[in-house]
Amino acid sequence: MQTEDRKRGKQGKRGTGSRRRAPEATRLALVEAAVDLVRASGVHATTVDQICAAAGATKGAFFHHFRSKEAILEAAVEHWCRGRAELYGRDLGGVTDDPLERLDRMLNGLAASVRAPGERTACLLGMVAQELAGSNHRVRALCEQMLQGWTDLVAGLLADAKRRHPPATDFDAHGMAWLLNSLWQGSLLAAKTRRDPELVAANLEHARRYILAHFSATNPQPPSQKCP
Amino acid sequence: MQTEDRKRGKQGKRGTGSRRRAPEATRLALVEAAVDLVRASGVHATTVDQICAAAGATKGAFFHHFRSKEAILEAAVEHWCRGRAELYGRDLGGVTDDPLERLDRMLNGLAASVRAPGERTACLLGMVAQELAGSNHRVRALCEQMLQGWTDLVAGLLADAKRRHPPATDFDAHGMAWLLNSLWQGSLLAAKTRRDPELVAANLEHARRYILAHFSATNPQPPSQKCP
DNA sequence: CAGAACATACCAACCAGTCTGTATGCAAAC
DNA sequence: GTTTGCATACAGACTGGTTGGTATGTTCTG
């Protein structure tokens, strides 16, 4: 179909590097196409041909860079998680060193990410895990690892917060982090099914209040003002 | 392959009713096989042939009862949700009329359902929604409807509870119900990926404490004793 | 015997993966 | 500096197995 983009790469000027052919760019295009398509339709409903077409590449290129469909799937999951970690990490960066405030910022960042116009309500990690955890051991393990990495990050924040602000009611940092992670995944699933991204924001707000309630001596707090 | 089960139905004694062939039984066997297989491997990874084999039926029987794969999928979702509603409804039945206590029982029932030995950690509804919400409008709408039904039930309980025990901190019953539903789905997803059903119970315990905290004037309460 | 309830052979489409061929860049031999 | 050799990076036709669905035949019931 529309191979124009890459045809240019074949006979036109160079892409990124100094060679006419930029293998890293091709690989990246394939991975990003895979991320998009799988997020839109799921793993099994996405074909290798579709990925190739979306990336402006051919089957030859595809199987040159990836041994199998499963291989690009793993690459896609890792790429996605790296990207998301970077995205949410930006919200945390430098502004404050109070872990509680950083957590608050992160929650705001998560809510903002689903509200972004044109952004589809879907987490690649959750979709791949849901579809393959029961049947593909390798992919399941990879998803578990990614999920764990994200949870450890949040748990670290929570542990810091506990040290800095001794909580009125103690709680397990990892348990709380898994709660947040589970809620995040479930919220995306429900929001996608309802076609209502606001559900994610509402649920995160509950989570925020639940967590803060452990630190303050008062009851679940009234909703705080955020950016209008 | 192993069509023994149904071969009996062909030449042996009757199954359920009075005819040698019991169409309703065949239909039910197909639906239940579909539920099992989809819960184990997902929608696209489950083939019509597999469903037929597991149900001890043939393709002829399958397409006699269902127009398409999508048709049995919708039947499976409805069957699953009916069954779950009945299962969790039993825990609520009659023992008490205090809505808060009934909610507590329901949460215990949910936790118990994932701990049941041999039970796989997977919700058909969540899996179908995750895999098809982005690409199949009909199925997405059905899943939304089922999800909504479950949420309405919980919201009703919560609204009753608010009437019976005026909460110290007010909250929106539907919002809270969606929170629970989202958390439930996400917990199942995370638990399946981690292969640790206890995660679901731990998350539900957080939810229980969060909800109860709205009613009592105290902080998030210490974990209550439950069945050992 | 009519129609429901199957059984079975069959098919066209699809899809992951392969195979063969080709263009390009680079390095060393000459 | 140009020819030769070779590896990378593709292009694209092809294939063998799978899959949802169909067409047709058969058996049993009312």
Side-chain angles (χ1 to χ4, degrees):
Chain A
M1 282 290 177
Q2 81 289 36
T3 325
E4 301 166 32
D5 217 27
R6 208 116 277 276
K7 258 183 196 141
R8 180 174 45 70
K10 190 183 175 187
Q11 270 155 359
K13 316 294 154 55
R14 63 273 351 271
T16 344
S18 54
R19 331 250 162 80
R20 285 214 196 142
R21 289 189 288 177
E24 277 312 310
T26 303
R27 200 191 130 94
L28 185 64
L30 284 166
V31 168
E32 287 182 339
V35 168
D36 281 352
L37 287 167
V38 171
R39 283 217 303 151
S41 318
V43 178
H44 286 92
T46 299
T47 71
V48 170
D49 283 327
Q50 282 173 352
I51 297 173
C52 292
T58 61
K59 269 231 175 100
F62 184 97
F63 284 101
H64 174 74
H65 287 286
F66 304 98
R67 268 171 311 149
S68 62
K69 189 184 175 183
E70 186 188 321
I72 200 182
L73 199 67
E74 291 173 12
V77 166
E78 281 169 358
H79 179 75
W80 166 262
C81 290
R82 221 181 352 258
R84 291 322 255 198
E86 198 180 317
L87 176 65
Y88 303 139
R90 262 206 299 275
D91 298 331
L92 269 63
V95 189
T96 174
D97 66 340
D98 181 349
L100 252 190
E101 209 169 314
R102 294 179 68 174
L103 192 79
D104 206 68
R105 282 170 178 281
M106 198 193 65
L107 290 174
N108 289 344
L110 288 175
S113 75
V114 294
R115 279 201 270 244
E119 176 71 355
R120 69 170 77 253
T121 318
C123 172
L124 182 77
L125 180 55
M127 292 184 67
V128 172
Q130 186 79 288
E131 210 171 328
L132 294 181
S135 53
N136 187 320
H137 189 65
R138 268 182 67 88
V139 174
R140 199 221 94 248
L142 176 66
C143 290
E144 178 182 5
Q145 187 189 325
M146 297 290 137
L147 226 45
Q148 184 79 52
W150 169 252
T151 306
D152 286 344
L153 189 112
V154 175
L157 269 178
L158 286 169
D160 280 353
K162 277 171 63 172
R163 245 171 268 129
R164 200 77 72 94
H165 311 273
T169 312
D170 193 31
F171 61 91
D172 174 55
H174 266 90
M176 187 68 84
W178 274 109
L179 174 75
L180 240 181
N181 208 344
S182 303
L183 179 63
W184 170 247
Q185 287 295 337
S187 299
L188 286 173
L189 173 52
K192 180 169 70 171
T193 307
R194 286 189 66 192
R195 293 184 302 187
D196 172 24
E198 284 306 311
L199 175 59
V200 179
N203 284 343
L204 287 177
E205 188 58 23
H206 278 291
R208 203 185 58 76
R209 285 161 61 183
Y210 179 60
I211 293 172
L212 291 184
H214 286 79
F215 288 95
S216 66
T218 69
N219 254 353
Q221 307 178 326
S224 76
Q225 277 80 281
K226 299 186 306 183
C227 40
Chain B
M1 286 285 176
Q2 80 292 31
T3 326
E4 301 167 31
D5 218 27
R6 209 113 279 271
K7 259 183 194 140
R8 182 172 45 68
K10 190 182 172 189
Q11 272 155 358
K13 316 296 155 55
R14 66 272 350 272
T16 344
S18 55
R19 331 251 160 79
R20 282 214 198 142
R21 290 188 285 177
E24 277 312 310
T26 302
R27 200 192 130 94
L28 185 63
L30 284 166
V31 168
E32 288 182 340
V35 168
D36 281 353
L37 287 167
V38 171
R39 283 217 302 151
S41 318
V43 178
H44 285 91
T46 298
T47 71
V48 171
D49 282 331
Q50 281 173 353
I51 297 173
C52 292
T58 61
K59 265 216 174 128
F62 183 98
F63 283 101
H64 174 73
H65 287 285
F66 303 98
R67 268 170 312 149
S68 63
K69 190 184 176 184
E70 186 188 321
I72 200 181
L73 198 67
E74 292 174 12
V77 167
E78 282 170 358
H79 180 74
W80 166 262
C81 291
R82 221 183 348 258
R84 291 323 252 198
E86 199 180 318
L87 176 66
Y88 304 138
R90 263 206 297 277
D91 298 331
L92 270 63
V95 189
T96 174
D97 67 339
D98 181 349
L100 251 190
E101 208 168 316
R102 294 178 68 174
L103 191 80
D104 206 69
R105 282 172 177 281
M106 198 194 64
L107 290 175
N108 289 343
L110 288 175
S113 75
V114 294
R115 279 202 270 246
E119 177 71 354
R120 67 170 76 253
T121 319
C123 172
L124 182 78
L125 180 55
M127 293 185 67
V128 171
Q130 186 80 288
E131 209 171 329
L132 295 181
S135 54
N136 186 319
H137 188 66
R138 269 182 66 87
V139 173
R140 199 222 94 247
L142 176 65
C143 290
E144 178 183 5
Q145 188 189 324
M146 297 289 138
L147 227 44
Q148 185 78 53
W150 171 251
T151 306
D152 287 343
L153 188 111
V154 175
L157 269 179
L158 287 168
D160 280 352
K162 276 172 62 171
R163 246 170 267 127
R164 200 78 70 96
H165 312 272
T169 314
D170 193 31
F171 61 93
D172 174 55
H174 266 89
M176 186 67 85
W178 274 109
L179 174 75
L180 240 182
N181 209 345
S182 303
L183 179 62
W184 169 247
Q185 287 295 336
S187 299
L188 285 174
L189 173 52
K192 180 169 69 171
T193 307
R194 287 189 66 192
R195 292 185 302 187
D196 171 25
E198 284 305 312
L199 175 59
V200 179
N203 283 344
L204 286 178
E205 188 58 24
H206 278 291
R208 203 184 59 77
R209 285 160 62 182
Y210 179 60
I211 293 172
L212 291 185
H214 286 79
F215 288 96
S216 66
T218 70
N219 254 354
Q221 306 179 328
S224 75
Q225 277 80 283
K226 301 186 306 186
C227 40

